[in-house]
Amino acid sequence: MSQQNRLAFLDALRGLAAVYVVLFHVMAMPIPALATGPVLGAVLAMGGTGVALFFIISAFSLAYTMPRHARAPRPLLSFYLHRVFRIAPLFFVLLAFSIWRDGRGSHPGHPLTEILANVTFTFNLFDGWETGIVWASWAIGVEMLFYAVFPLLFWIINTPLRAWVAAGLATLASGLAMSGLLGAAGLDAVTAYGLLRHLPVFLYGIAAYHLFNAMIAAPATTARRYCLAALVTGSVLLVALVVGSAQALVGPGAGWVLFGAAYAAVLMGLSRFPVRVVVNRVTTWLGQVSYSLYLGHPIVVAVLMPVFRRIYAAVPQPDLAWLAWLACAGLTLAIALPLAQLGYRLIEVPGIRAGHRVLAALNARCAQPAQGANRSG
């Protein structure tokens, strides 16, 4: 499979994950939450797991690009600079806006220490600050800590067997912590923002990458058979998890890990079976602007809440609540998507290019002493 096709299915899933989170927040951010009806409500209630899909894709993508960094003159510098310049520019713009927003009126604002924790992406490590100053940025706090140790993880988990073992051990540790067998510290580690809750999901992404490479080396018929089985199994598991969560049969912690496993299976399946309804020009474009959409949409939802109330007032019949929600979701996307495109073009792309220039300059400076030494010799 060509590099373009690989990126296409990843971008499509990334875009759908972002939209899923947006649709969830359209329902859940207003107080009280917007009525949607039982079936639609059950599906939307799991929209937060779109972040788990983000984590899967992120780990897969990092593993996929690590060989490119390994070929760079300074591999670790290449990796970390790419990550910082990919994430930081948009985050810092929204952080500045959020600090201004939260310091107005009766809001006390944020202490300098909390601001510094956000600037350094370490806010996940401090009790009470895990959510981040920027709305929805808790996922960035988790992900940046994972980035910090990713090169070491990738060096250790360098075979499909090791990937399976690591994912299995992390899942076991997470399960033991959720059961209370690891004590209070274990329970703290698997809270909504706890790192042990999310570690298995990241490792599923690394495992998916190694399986993806194994499928490239396998006979085509074998690869297609396994990937089709993964796609079907993952899809069935997603439906079962939505139903089970709606019936309170699956807890939020275990559900998060299981959703991660299901999403990883779907990703593997789409790598060989890019179903048109999932992987297409629209969804790949959504993936391109997904970061701006994810970080920017809570502001749009917050601004539109009074409009949502008016829409619901115009549709008073309870059995038509889904129609009112659909109008609210459509309005939100109609505003959030153009803003996401602007964020991508005006902030993300220039930030990425700036990272490339900085890395090139640092590599050039590193090469000059070596060239001088060669001439001296």
Side-chain angles (χ1 to χ4, degrees), residues 18 24 29 42 72 76 83 88 99 121 123 143 162 195 205 222 243 261 293 330 344 364:
F24 165 65
M29 277 184 64
L76 287 179
R83 288 298 87 206
I99 293 170
F121 297 101
F123 53 92
E143 197 154 2
R162 289 189 177 189
L195 296 180
T222 301
V243 175
L293 179 62
Y344 174 72

Side-chain angles (χ1 to χ4, degrees), residues 303-376:
V303 171
L304 290 177
M305 283 184 191
V307 181
F308 294 170
R309 298 302 179 195
R310 293 183 181 182
I311 291 173
Y312 269 76
V315 186
Q317 299 91 332
D319 58 330
L320 294 180
W322 65 271
L323 189 59
W325 173 87
L326 190 62
C328 296
L331 177 62
T332 301
L333 290 172
I335 297 173
L337 287 174
L339 290 176
Q341 176 68 12
L342 287 175
Y344 174 72
R345 289 295 179 188
L346 300 181
I347 302 174
E348 292 185 58
V349 171
I352 294 168
R353 290 173 179 168
H356 291 161
R357 290 194 297 270
V358 170
L359 180 61
L362 291 174
N363 284 336
R365 290 180 62 183
C366 181
Q368 287 174 356
Q371 292 172 356
N374 290 336
R375 284 195 296 268
S376 298

Side-chain angles (χ1 to χ4, degrees), residues 134-154:
V134 178
W135 289 344
S137 65
W138 72 267
I140 306 301
V142 172
E143 197 154 2
M144 289 298 273
L145 294 178
F146 178 69
Y147 291 166
V149 298
F150 182 81
L152 177 61
L153 283 177
F154 188 75

Side-chain angles (χ1 to χ4, degrees), residues 44-208:
L44 293 175
M46 295 298 101
T49 66
V51 177
L53 179 51
F54 275 137
F55 291 165
I56 293 286
I57 297 167
S58 179
F60 185 103
S61 299
L62 292 179
Y64 176 75
T65 57
M66 278 302 286
R68 184 189 71 199
H69 296 301
R71 293 190 295 270
R74 303 165 80 177
L76 287 179
L77 181 65
S78 175
F79 172 80
Y80 287 119
L81 274 182
H82 275 88
R83 288 298 87 206
V84 169
F85 279 90
R86 180 68 186 90
I87 299 299
L90 179 67
F91 180 82
F92 286 158
V93 169
L94 289 174
L95 178 61
F97 167 79
S98 302
I99 293 170
W100 169 81
R101 176 199 64 209
D102 295 344
R104 300 170 69 241
S106 60
H107 194 286
H110 301 278
L112 179 60
T113 49
E114 184 183 6
I115 293 172
L116 288 175
N118 278 258
V119 169
T120 57
F121 297 101
T122 58
F123 53 92
N124 180 271
L125 300 176
F126 298 93
D127 289 340
W129 294 350
E130 298 94 338
T131 57
I133 293 174
V134 178
W135 289 344
S137 65
W138 72 267
I140 306 301
V142 172
E143 197 154 2
M144 289 298 273
L145 294 178
F146 178 69
Y147 291 166
V149 298
F150 182 81
L152 177 61
L153 283 177
F154 188 75
W155 179 69
I156 296 172
I157 306 172
N158 57 4
T159 66
L161 177 60
R162 289 189 177 189
W164 278 104
V165 171
L169 290 176
T171 303
L172 176 61
S174 183
L176 291 174
M178 291 177 195
S179 71
L181 292 176
L182 300 185
L187 290 172
D188 286 342
V190 290
T191 57
Y193 311 117
L195 296 180
L196 189 53
R197 179 172 181 168
H198 303 294
L199 178 61
V201 177
F202 278 112
L203 293 179
Y204 296 159
I206 296 177

Side-chain angles (χ1 to χ4, degrees), residues 2-58:
S2 69
Q3 180 178 359
Q4 182 178 2
N5 286 336
R6 293 174 193 171
L7 294 175
F9 77 80
L10 288 180
D11 275 343
L13 283 175
R14 189 181 286 113
L16 292 173
V19 171
Y20 198 14
V21 174
V22 173
L23 299 181
F24 165 65
H25 281 153
V26 169
M27 176 192 73
M29 277 184 64
I31 300 174
L34 300 183
T36 57
V39 177
L40 180 59
V43 175
L44 293 175
M46 295 298 101
T49 66
V51 177
L53 179 51
F54 275 137
F55 291 165
I56 293 286
I57 297 167
S58 179

